[in-house]
Amino acid sequence: MTLKWKTKYPIDWDLPVHWADILFSVRKESGLTRTELANMSGISSNTIENYERKKIKEPSIYKVEQILNAMGYDLDAIKVGDDTKVAPSRRQM
């Protein structure tokens, strides 16, 4: 089963999805700049940019989790496997 996430920054969930694309889409959908997200998460805007531009191949899970948590998402929001495409979902607030 493929889940769809309605966003103005669409991702084709039927194709393999890179975690950086999900991070970018979630940030944009949240209406945050990299600087705003950096202030909220404690992770530098340069690191966030490098993640989104796929310049860092093996990210710190701790840092990615901090970024997602700052936007109200769990780390599972970017869990994408070969057979399963999972759309981000917000934590219960």
Side-chain angles (χ1 to χ4, degrees):
M1 171 191 234
T2 300
L3 302 173
K4 303 289 183 189
W5 184 41
K6 294 181 181 178
T7 175
K8 56 186 171 181
Y9 304 95
I11 291 176
D12 184 349
W13 296 104
D14 295 324
L15 299 173
V17 179
H18 193 278
W19 65 269
D21 297 327
I22 296 172
L23 179 61
F24 175 80
S25 293
V26 169
R27 180 180 63 80
K28 287 301 214 176
E29 189 67 21
S30 297
L32 298 170
T33 65
R34 288 184 185 120
T35 302
E36 292 168 333
L37 182 54
N39 290 334
M40 291 170 60
S41 67
I43 305 299
S44 77
S45 59
N46 285 337
T47 298
I48 294 169
E49 179 179 2
N50 287 335
Y51 285 166
E52 290 179 351
R53 293 184 183 218
K54 303 175 189 170
K55 291 183 178 181
I56 298 175
K57 293 185 189 228
E58 294 187 32
S60 163
I61 294 300
Y62 173 74
K63 288 182 181 180
V64 172
E65 185 174 31
Q66 276 186 269
I67 292 167
L68 290 171
N69 285 340
M71 294 185 287
Y73 288 86
D74 288 321
L75 187 58
D76 289 342
I78 60 167
K79 182 179 179 183
V80 179
D82 292 338
D83 297 330
T84 307
K85 280 71 175 178
V86 179
S89 59
R90 281 195 184 261
R91 282 186 271 147
Q92 297 296 326
M93 300 284 187

